[in-house]
Amino acid sequence: MKKVLLALLIVTMVVGGAYAQKVYRVGVSMPSATHGWMGNANWWANRAKTDWEKRDKTVQIELKFSGNVNQQVADIEDLLVKKVDALVVFPHDTSVTSIVEKAFNQGVYVVVLDRGVSKEGIYDIYITNDDEAYTRKGMEWLAKQMGYKGNLLLITGIPSPIDTIRTDTIKEVVKKYPNIKLLDVQPGDWNRQKSLTVMENYLQKYKQIDAVYTADDDMMLGAMQAYKESGRKDIKYFLGGGCLKSVIKEIMDDSNPLVKADVTYSPSVIATSISYAVIGVKGEKLNPNVYQVRALPRRIILPSELVTRENAKDFYVPEAPF
Amino acid sequence: MPDAILRVENIVKDFGSGPVLKDVNLEVRPGEILGIIGENGAGKSTLMKILAGIHQPTAGKVYVDGKAVRIADPIAARALKISLVPQEFNLIRDLPVYNNVFLGAELRKRSGVLDKESMKARTRELLAQLNVALDPEARIEGLSAAEKQMVEICKALAFDSRVLIMDEPTTMLTKFEIEILFRLTRKLRSEGMTILYISHKLKEVKHLCDRVVVLRDGELVHDGPTAEVSIVEMAQKMVGRELGSIFPVKGKPGDEVVFEARGVTVPGVLEDISFQLRKGEILGLAGLVGAGRTELAETVLGLRLRSAGTFLKDGRELDLREPADAVAAGISYLSEDRQGAGIITTFSVTRNVTLVSLGEYCRSFFRLIDKRTEKSKVQGYVDSFRIKTDSLDRRLENLSGGNQQKVSLAKAIDTSPSVLIVDEPTRGVDVSAKHEIYVFINELARKGISCLLISSELEEIIGMCDRVLVMRDGRIAGTLEGDRITEEQIMYHATGVQEEAAS
Amino acid sequence: MSATTAKKIDLEKYGALIALGALFVLASIIGWPYFIRPENLVNVMRQSSYTGIIALGMTFVIISGGIDLSVGAVAAFVASCGVLFMNWVLQATGGNEVLAILGGVSVMIALGFVTGALNGLLITKGKIVPFIVTLGTMSIFRYLSLQMANAGEFASQSQLYGTFGMSKIFEFTVGDQAVSLPVPVFTMLALAAILAFLLDNTRYGRYLCAVGSNARVAQYSAVRIDRVRFWAYAINGMCVGASAALLAARFNTVSTPNFGLGSELDAIAATIIGGTAMAGGRGSIWGTIIGVFMLQFIQNMLNMAGLSPYLQGVVKGIVIIGSVYIQKQRQ
C-alpha cells in the first residue's frame, strides 16, 4: 500500500512538474530496539514521523532500524540511493563516519546524534544527550540521600565509550565523599537479565549494601528483582536512569520506597532530531524572539534532568511503550 | 503340500533407471528354509526389502496367509510377523543388548516408564533359547559380528516372527560361528519358523536350505529342492553361462625377498610377528575374526603404534608412521571395510581411483592436476577391470558392490605398488566379479607384485595363495606351503584345535 | 541416457545461478525504481563483499567438515592490531602513509593466518571438535580486542587508508552515471577465482573434499588429513584478515564491540545457500558468491521496499531454510 502510494507520489511529482510542491524527504537510520530505552527511541521516531507527515504534506520520513553497524551503513547507502534531502543518523558507533561524510558532501542535510562521528564539519547539526550530567546529577542526588556515607554498588552498561564517561563521572563524584564506599563495578550490559545475575552475585558477596546505582532503569528493575528475591532489608536506594514509563509512574505515585528519583536521558532525542532535520532542510528560521543568529544551532546538548515526585508528571508519557 | 505362508505375485520394482525386479512370482511354505541366490544386483535384496516394508513394489501384490497385504513400512512388516536381519546390522552401538532387542517396541510399566527389568529378563530368556552366552546389559559396541547377529535374531524372536529373512548372514562370520548359525537356523525351523536365506555362498545354501530359488537380472530363473541341484548348476544358473574354475592357475613366485616383518609387536594386538614376502608371491593371511590380520595391515600402514619390531623393504628398514609413508615405500592397501575406509561413496569413479596416487598427476610446474591424463588412466581401469558405469563422473554410491570393489582395487594399484595388501578383496561381491578380481590379483603377482591376501574365505586362500600364514590371537600360529594348504590345516592352526574333517 | 544426464548436471551446476537471476528480476520489481540503479548495485556488491570474503574461507572450512565461529571476533582482533601497527608506523616514519598501509594490511593478513593456524592446530593436534575450538577462540579474540581498546575504538590516523577503503577500479559509464568496481568487490572476485581454481585443479582441493566426505577413507588413502584440515583454517584466517583490512579501511576505524559482529553466521548462511554441504565433502566457491549476493539482494530489495528490519530477518531465515530444502529435493 505504502509502496503504491509512494509510486503514485513519484508519478505525481514527475507529471505535476511545475505546480507540484517541493517534497522534503528525510531518511532516519538508528539502531533497532534491543533494550527498553532504544525501544522508546524507536517509538519516538515513529511518533515524529506520524506527527510531521500529518502536519505537513510536503514532508516524507523514512525510518531504518538496524541491528549492527554494517547494516546501518548499508541502510544509509540505500537512503542515499533513494535521494533523501535530509538524513538523521543515530549511530551504532563511529564506523559510520565515512558514509556520513559522503552524504554531507552530496549536499544532504545531515543531523547526527550522540558521539557518533569521529570527524568535525561533516554534519549540519549535532545533537546529544548529556552523558556527563546524566550520572553527575544522579550521583549527587544519591550521595545526598545516603547522607554522604555508606556502601554503594554500581552496575554499568555494555563496555563502550558512552558507558566509560558515565562510569568515570560517577567515580569522580564518589571521590568527593570519602565516607561513601564504592564496593564494586560490574557490567550489566543494559540487560535486565544480566543485571539480575550481577546483583545476585553482589548479594552473595557483600553483606551490607546501602545503595545500588545502575546505568539505566531496565537494569535497575533486574537488580531490584534480585534484591526482593533475596529477602534482605539493607538496601535503601535504587537509582537507574532513562525514565522508563513504569519507573516514572512509581515515582509519581510514590509507590516504591526504594525508588525515589530518576534522571532523564531522553529517548525523544531522536524525535527532536527529526524535527530539526525537517526545519533545517526546509531552511526555516528560529523564533524571532531569539536575538542571536536565527539559523539553527550547530551543536545541541539536551539537558539531563533529575526527576523526583515533584516533577514526575512532566515526564510521564502514558502512550509510550516502555 | 501346506499352503503358502507368504506369496508374491508379479512383483515389479523400478527405482527409475529400469526395472530391478521383473514380474517375480514366489511362494514360501511354512517351516522351510528357502535359499535365495543370485549375483549382486540380481534383485535379491530388493525383493527382501519389499517384504520387510523398506521398499514398495512398483507393481504386483504380496499375500500373507492368502490375504493380500500392503507392507507400508517396517512396523507393518513387524505386525505381520516378518523380520529382516540385514547385512549391515541395524543396531545402536551405544545401547545395551536388551534395549536394542526392544528398540521401537519398548516394554513399559503402567506409568509409562520403561520396564527395564522385564526387558532384560525377556532378553535373557531369548538368548538362552538361542544358546548364546551373552549379557543382556552388554553394550553393542563391544560385541563381535556373530554376537551382533544373534542380537538381530533375538530381535526377530522378541516379536514372535514367523518369517525370518537373513541377508548374507555369514559374510562377517568365521567358520565356527557359521556352524553355530546353521545349527540355530535348523532349530528355529524345527520350531515352525520360516526362513528366507539370502547368500552368495552356494556351498552354504546347498548345505542348509530345503529349497533354492535363483534370481538373475530381476527374474526368477530357477525354483526347486536343493537336493536336486548341484553347486555348479546353481552357479551356472546365477551367471547364466558355463563356468570354468573360479581360480586362475597359480604363478611361480621368485626367491627374492621384497618385504619383511621382524618381531613386530603392538601391545595387546600383535605379538612378535615375523614373515617374509617374496617377489611375485601371493601370501595368504588366514585366521579367525579378531586374530589380528587387519590389525597387522594397519600396523604396516603406520596406523598402529608398534612397541617393537621393524618392517623392511628390499632389505632397507622402513619408517612407517602414517599411510603416506607406506605409499611412498611402494606398499598399497585394499581395505576390508570398503565404505568405511576404502572408497568415498560421494566421489566419482575418477576421483576415487586417483585419490592415493594424485601426486603422480600433478607433475606440471604449477602442480595442477593433469585431468586429461587422469581421465585416460581411469578409463583404462574401467575398461580392463570391466567396471560397469555409464560415466567416469558417476558417484560410487550409484555403483554396485562388485563395481565399487573394482574401483577400490584400481585405486590401490594406481600407485604402482610393489607390495599389495588386499584385505577381504571379494567380500560382498558376486561370483563373476569375484572371478575377475582373482584374475587381476593373479596377473599382478605374475607381473612381479607381491601380494598379501587377507581372507576369511578358506577357498579363496587355498585357491589363490602360494603360501599361507595362519594367525591366532595376534601371533603367527603356522605357515603352510604347497600341499599342506588345506582347510583342515588352516583351521587347526587358526583355532589350535584339531577338528573333525568337515563335510 | 547421456542426454538426460547432461541436462541434470547442467541444472545442478547452473540452478543456483538461475535462482540468482530470478531473484535479480524480482528485486528489480519489488525494489523499483531504486534497486536497479547502478549506484545501488555497486552498493549491494560492496555490502556483500566483506562477509563474502570471509564466506570464501568458510567454504573451505565447511568442505573440510568443520566450522569456524571465530571469524567475526578474529576480524575485530586483527583489525585492531593492524590499525595500531599502522598508526605506529605512521609515527615512526613521520607520516609515510603508503608504508603504514602496506604494513598494517600485511599485519592483518598475517595475524589472520596465525589465528586460523591456532584454530587448526587445536582442532588437528588437540583433537577438539571445531565447533568447540572456534566457540572458544571467538570469545577469546572478541574480548581480547575489547580489552585492548577498553571497549572503545581504534581510529586510523591515515586518511589515505580511508580513501583506499572507498576506492574503486575499472571505472566506466552507464548512460550518464559512472560505474566502477569497488576494491573489496574486486578482491572478493579475485579471491574466489583463486580459491575455486585451487579447489578444482589441485591436489589440495581434491584432498579437502576427500577429508570432508570421509576422513577415514582419506587417511587410509595416504592423505595427511591433519595437514589438509589445518590449511583450511589457515586459508580461512587469511581471508578473514583480508576482509578485516578492507572493512577497517571502509570505516577507517575499528569499533571493537561491533566490528565483524555476527559475520560468522552470515558467512555460514551464504555458504550453505551456495550449496556447500554442512556435513562437508562437497561445496562450491562460486556457489558461495551466489549465496552472498542472494542474501544481500533480498535484504536490499526489502529495505528499498520499506519493509521493517525485523521482517527482513524473518525473510532471511525463510530463505536459508528454503534454499537448503530445495537443494535436498533436487538430490
Side-chain angles (χ1 to χ4, degrees):
Chain A
M1 189 60 205
K2 218 188 289 171
K3 249 179 53 55
V4 177
L5 261 170
L6 203 74
L8 223 66
L9 257 162
I10 292 162
V11 171
T12 344
M13 259 177 67
V14 174
V15 177
Y19 27 82
Q21 258 188 310
K22 160 79 179 156
V23 171
Y24 297 98
R25 295 158 45 99
V26 180
V28 180
S29 168
M30 65 184 296
S32 51
T34 48
H35 54 283
W37 189 87
M38 197 55 89
N40 264 343
N42 286 5
W43 180 84
W44 278 107
N46 271 309
R47 172 159 172 175
K49 173 180 160 70
T50 327
D51 286 352
W52 271 106
E53 285 178 354
K54 202 178 339 164
R55 193 183 306 149
D56 188 340
K57 294 292 168 222
T58 65
V59 173
Q60 281 174 21
I61 296 169
E62 179 159 2
L63 305 177
K64 296 276 180 221
F65 305 107
S66 49
N68 59 53
V69 69
N70 280 349
Q71 181 57 41
Q72 179 161 45
V73 171
D75 280 348
I76 298 173
E77 282 178 339
D78 292 353
L79 289 170
L80 293 181
V81 168
K82 289 186 161 184
K83 302 258 180 282
V84 290
D85 302 298
L87 181 68
V88 178
V89 183
F90 191 152
H92 281 268
D93 62 47
T94 59
S95 304
V96 298
T97 305
S98 58
I99 186 72
V100 168
E101 183 174 16
K102 185 180 167 193
F104 186 72
N105 290 340
Q106 282 184 5
V108 176
Y109 191 88
V110 175
V111 178
V112 179
L113 279 82
D114 268 340
R115 67 211 71 258
V117 285
S118 58
K119 203 169 171 183
E120 287 305 311
I122 56 166
Y123 47 78
D124 293 281
I125 300 182
Y126 173 87
I127 299 182
T128 178
N129 274 305
D130 191 346
D131 284 298
E132 206 250 327
Y134 174 64
T135 45
R136 183 177 298 282
K137 284 193 173 164
M139 192 59 231
E140 288 287 5
W141 176 84
L142 191 58
K144 192 173 164 201
Q145 300 299 312
M146 291 169 73
Y148 304 108
K149 62 178 192 310
N151 292 334
L152 173 68
L153 280 169
L154 197 51
I155 299 178
T156 62
I158 294 173
S160 59
I162 290 183
D163 195 63
T164 309
I165 293 184
R166 294 176 180 178
T167 310
D168 288 350
T169 309
I170 291 173
K171 288 178 180 166
E172 201 186 301
V173 175
V174 170
K175 216 177 278 170
K176 293 200 297 188
Y177 309 112
N179 293 331
I180 295 180
K181 205 170 155 218
L182 184 55
L183 295 175
D184 211 337
V185 181
Q186 294 284 334
D189 294 355
W190 287 316
N191 176 309
R192 194 177 294 191
Q193 193 188 344
K194 175 79 191 288
S195 168
L196 189 144
T197 314
V198 171
M199 191 65 207
E200 281 172 346
N201 295 343
Y202 278 169
L203 289 165
Q204 292 302 317
K205 214 159 132 193
Y206 303 106
K207 290 299 151 217
Q208 175 60 42
I209 305 167
D210 296 301
V212 178
Y213 194 172
T214 62
D216 75 8
D217 284 346
D218 247 344
M219 293 198 294
M220 184 191 73
L221 294 176
M224 203 149 59
Q225 178 72 20
Y227 173 64
K228 281 180 184 159
E229 283 169 6
S230 77
R232 279 168 58 162
K233 298 275 176 257
D234 50 335
I235 303 182
K236 292 171 212 70
Y237 307 100
F238 276 89
L239 178 61
C243 296
L244 276 195
K245 195 168 73 177
S246 66
V247 177
I248 295 295
K249 183 99 170 55
E250 279 184 348
I251 295 169
M252 197 163 72
D253 303 346
D254 200 12
S255 57
N256 188 338
L258 294 170
V259 184
K260 296 284 184 199
D262 205 338
V263 184
T264 62
Y265 190 84
S266 183
S268 63
V269 62
I270 183 71
T272 311
S273 310
I274 293 171
S275 293
Y276 275 124
V278 174
I279 297 166
V281 75
K282 291 173 97 173
E284 288 170 4
K285 303 288 184 214
L286 280 179
N287 184 317
N289 296 338
V290 176
Y291 293 104
Q292 263 296 342
V293 194
R294 282 176 53 213
L296 294 178
R298 282 202 61 244
R299 296 177 68 89
I300 300 166
I301 297 176
L302 299 178
S304 273
E305 294 177 64
L306 187 68
V307 181
T308 55
R309 195 180 165 193
E310 287 69 44
N311 62 353
K313 66 176 189 308
D314 300 340
F315 298 94
Y316 185 62
V317 185
E319 63 273 30
F322 298 106
Chain B
M1 188 181 288
D3 284 341
I5 183 169
L6 188 67
R7 187 154 56 89
V8 301
E9 254 181 36
N10 310 103
I11 290 281
V12 176
K13 179 67 189 176
D14 190 336
F15 286 108
S17 52
V20 178
L21 291 174
K22 305 168 193 163
D23 202 22
V24 172
N25 290 287
L26 177 65
E27 271 191 16
V28 184
R29 292 157 209 148
E32 71 169 343
I33 302 179
L34 173 62
I36 299 171
I37 60 175
E39 287 194 291
N40 268 8
K44 298 167 304 197
S45 292
T46 308
L47 182 59
M48 293 308 120
K49 282 177 180 165
I50 287 173
L51 293 178
I54 297 167
H55 292 325
Q56 296 303 312
T58 310
K61 282 203 170 113
V62 179
Y63 297 86
V64 173
D65 290 330
K67 282 197 290 280
V69 291
R70 204 176 87 84
I71 310 176
D73 51 34
I75 297 168
R78 187 189 287 168
L80 293 165
K81 310 279 184 215
I82 299 171
S83 286
L84 172 71
V85 177
Q87 194 174 355
E88 310 282 332
F89 300 132
N90 237 335
L91 300 173
I92 297 177
R93 286 158 39 96
D94 293 319
L95 289 181
V97 169
Y98 75 91
N99 260 339
N100 269 288
V101 168
F102 285 97
L103 196 68
E106 287 80 2
L107 301 181
R108 267 174 286 193
K109 292 185 189 163
R110 197 166 298 157
S111 60
V113 177
L114 291 181
D115 189 353
K116 292 189 184 173
E117 289 316 311
S118 306
M119 287 195 278
K120 278 180 212 167
R122 181 81 182 113
T123 306
R124 195 168 289 122
E125 234 171 76
L126 293 169
L127 288 168
Q129 200 181 326
L130 297 174
N131 280 330
V132 185
L134 199 58
D135 181 1
E137 293 182 56
R139 294 210 314 167
I140 296 298
E141 215 170 2
L143 302 188
S144 73
E147 287 169 328
K148 284 181 195 164
Q149 190 160 47
M150 290 305 156
V151 176
E152 283 279 5
I153 294 172
C154 218
K155 231 166 136 175
L157 294 182
F159 298 115
D160 297 321
S161 293
R162 294 185 302 164
V163 179
L164 181 64
I165 305 168
M166 293 199 262
D167 193 355
E168 303 279 359
T170 59
T171 313
M172 310 287 286
L173 304 189
T174 59
K175 195 167 171 357
F176 284 95
E177 293 165 339
I178 291 172
E179 270 310 320
I180 294 170
L181 178 73
F182 283 6
R183 231 174 288 147
L184 178 69
T185 311
R186 291 196 188 98
K187 182 165 176 274
L188 290 173
R189 175 181 58 185
S190 70
E191 288 162 8
M193 179 89 88
T194 307
I195 291 146
L196 301 183
Y197 188 93
I198 302 167
S199 185
H200 289 123
K201 298 182 183 171
L202 306 182
K203 212 169 149 185
E204 291 174 4
V205 171
K206 174 84 182 157
H207 189 59
L208 180 70
C209 300
D210 304 311
R211 193 161 64 103
V212 59
V213 296
V214 182
L215 278 170
R216 187 170 73 225
D217 295 333
E219 283 178 282
L220 203 73
V221 293
H222 174 85
D223 184 349
T226 318
E228 290 170 16
V229 57
S230 74
I231 290 179
V232 176
E233 282 167 339
M234 282 191 221
Q236 282 172 354
K237 285 182 196 302
M238 269 167 63
V239 186
R241 59 181 162 86
E242 297 284 321
L243 278 177
S245 165
I246 191 168
F247 297 108
V249 182
K250 291 181 188 178
K252 288 246 183 308
D255 294 328
E256 179 192 338
V257 173
V258 176
F259 182 73
E260 189 177 354
R262 280 189 196 159
V264 171
T265 300
V266 175
V269 181
L270 299 175
E271 205 162 332
D272 194 24
I273 301 284
S274 299
F275 65 86
Q276 292 185 329
L277 181 60
R278 302 195 186 104
K279 191 175 173 67
E281 181 182 37
I282 301 180
L283 178 62
L285 199 51
L288 303 180
V289 170
R293 296 166 304 167
T294 297
E295 289 77 2
L296 175 57
E298 287 171 351
T299 310
V300 174
L301 290 184
L303 292 170
R304 286 174 186 269
L305 219 62
R306 46 181 204 276
S307 61
T310 49
F311 291 108
L312 294 94
K313 174 92 191 304
D314 302 322
R316 270 209 321 276
E317 197 173 311
L318 295 176
D319 182 20
L320 300 172
R321 275 186 276 181
E322 54 180 340
D325 297 334
V327 171
I331 303 167
S332 204
Y333 175 65
L334 176 89
S335 172
E336 58 159 351
D337 183 0
R338 190 164 62 224
Q339 307 222 334
I343 53 162
I344 295 178
T345 49
T346 54
F347 263 30
S348 68
V349 174
T350 308
R351 286 175 157 224
N352 266 292
V353 171
T354 60
L355 186 58
V356 191
S357 50
L358 202 57
E360 298 300 314
Y361 300 94
C362 305
R363 289 274 175 247
S364 71
F365 180 71
F366 288 109
R367 299 281 176 269
L368 302 179
I369 299 171
D370 180 353
K371 290 191 175 172
R372 193 181 303 170
T373 312
E374 185 188 24
K375 207 171 165 184
S376 70
K377 190 90 180 283
V378 173
Q379 188 63 53
Y381 286 115
V382 168
D383 294 341
S384 64
F385 284 16
R386 279 187 279 160
I387 297 171
K388 276 181 221 152
T389 174
D390 50 19
S391 150
L392 296 184
D393 297 324
R394 197 94 171 142
R395 288 194 193 165
L396 280 208
E397 57 197 358
N398 300 319
L399 264 55
S400 73
N403 285 312
Q404 287 183 355
Q405 189 68 354
K406 288 180 191 172
V407 170
S408 194
L409 189 62
K411 168 172 167 260
I413 64 173
D414 195 46
T415 58
S416 324
S418 46
V419 174
L420 178 64
I421 305 173
V422 286
D423 197 348
E424 306 288 1
T426 61
R427 172 174 288 175
V429 161
D430 61 50
V431 178
S432 55
K434 229 177 201 178
H435 174 68
E436 284 170 329
I437 289 173
Y438 292 145
V439 171
F440 300 142
I441 294 175
N442 187 271
E443 275 171 8
L444 291 173
R446 283 168 191 273
K447 281 185 200 152
I449 295 176
S450 313
C451 294
L452 192 60
L453 172 63
I454 302 174
S455 179
S456 295
E457 291 191 38
L458 294 182
E459 285 171 48
E460 196 165 290
I461 294 276
I462 296 164
M464 290 293 292
C465 299
D466 302 309
R467 243 169 7 116
V468 178
L469 302 173
V470 187
M471 289 187 71
R472 185 172 79 234
D473 297 335
R475 298 162 180 275
I476 294 195
T479 309
L480 307 172
E481 228 169 321
D483 293 342
R484 292 187 57 226
I485 307 180
T486 63
E487 238 174 87
E488 290 74 25
Q489 281 294 321
I490 294 172
M491 289 322 294
Y492 166 67
H493 289 292
T495 60
V497 184
Q498 188 82 45
E499 71 166 315
E500 297 292 313
S503 54
Chain C
M1 183 71 205
S2 62
T4 54
T5 314
K7 224 178 187 175
K8 232 184 192 165
I9 288 169
D10 277 354
L11 196 68
E12 195 172 322
K13 215 171 177 176
Y14 299 112
L17 205 57
I18 293 165
L20 184 71
L23 184 65
F24 186 86
V25 174
L26 184 72
S28 304
I29 297 167
I30 292 185
W32 188 263
Y34 311 112
F35 178 83
I36 198 76
R37 288 189 183 157
E39 186 192 350
N40 185 53
L41 292 177
V42 170
N43 282 347
V44 170
M45 286 207 289
R46 189 179 41 230
Q47 288 160 10
S48 332
S49 61
Y50 306 105
T51 313
I53 293 170
I54 293 176
L56 294 176
M58 187 69 83
T59 306
F60 266 42
V61 167
I62 291 181
I63 291 176
S64 84
I67 190 108
D68 190 346
L69 301 175
S70 71
V71 289
V74 164
F77 176 71
V78 302
S80 301
C81 295
V83 166
L84 281 178
F85 183 77
M86 200 179 290
N87 290 346
W88 177 78
V89 172
L90 269 180
Q91 279 191 336
T93 59
N96 187 336
E97 295 203 87
V98 175
L99 198 66
I101 292 170
L102 282 178
V105 171
S106 311
V107 162
M108 293 190 215
I109 293 173
L111 267 181
F113 172 81
V114 170
T115 51
L118 177 70
N119 279 335
L121 281 178
L122 285 169
I123 287 159
T124 55
K125 296 292 165 210
K127 312 255 179 245
I128 310 170
V129 291
F131 189 95
I132 304 294
V133 167
T134 57
L135 191 65
T137 49
M138 168 167 85
S139 189
I140 291 170
F141 288 114
R142 174 64 65 190
Y143 285 97
L144 213 51
S145 342
L146 286 170
Q147 176 65 35
M148 281 163 57
N150 199 12
E153 42 199 32
F154 293 113
S156 133
Q157 286 153 15
S158 160
Q159 278 308 313
L160 188 62
Y161 188 47
T163 315
F164 162 69
M166 293 296 287
S167 57
K168 299 168 177 180
I169 46 178
F170 302 139
E171 200 142 343
F172 54 93
T173 50
V174 177
D176 55 347
Q177 257 186 313
V179 178
S180 53
L181 206 55
V183 167
V185 177
F186 174 77
T187 309
M188 173 175 75
L189 295 177
L191 268 176
I194 294 170
L195 292 181
F197 190 76
L198 200 66
L199 191 61
D200 286 340
N201 292 293
T202 65
R203 233 194 309 182
Y204 178 74
R206 191 71 67 81
Y207 286 169
L208 192 68
C209 295
V211 167
S213 278
N214 190 329
R216 186 148 168 262
V217 173
Q219 187 187 23
Y220 273 76
S221 303
V223 175
R224 293 185 161 102
I225 55 175
D226 281 355
R227 218 177 278 183
V228 171
R229 283 204 179 117
F230 170 85
W231 277 103
Y233 289 93
I235 289 171
N236 185 33
M238 286 191 279
C239 288
V240 174
S243 170
L246 291 162
L247 191 60
R250 173 88 165 93
F251 297 145
N252 212 8
T253 184
V254 180
S255 153
T256 49
N258 292 328
F259 196 91
L261 197 64
S263 59
E264 57 279 349
L265 298 182
D266 284 338
I268 292 169
T271 306
I272 298 304
I273 290 176
T276 296
M278 197 72 206
R282 185 165 48 81
S284 149
I285 287 289
W286 293 114
T288 297
I289 295 285
I290 289 173
V292 167
F293 280 151
M294 277 178 113
L295 278 179
Q296 202 65 40
F297 277 6
I298 290 166
Q299 194 260 308
N300 184 267
M301 109 191 152
L302 296 177
N303 212 358
M304 286 304 179
L307 200 70
S308 97
Y310 310 117
L311 285 178
Q312 289 178 24
V314 172
V315 172
K316 181 171 156 189
I318 292 170
V319 168
I320 293 170
I321 296 172
S323 68
V324 173
Y325 179 77
I326 292 168
Q327 286 168 26
K328 277 261 180 270
Q329 295 307 302
R330 268 216 319 254
Q331 277 167 19

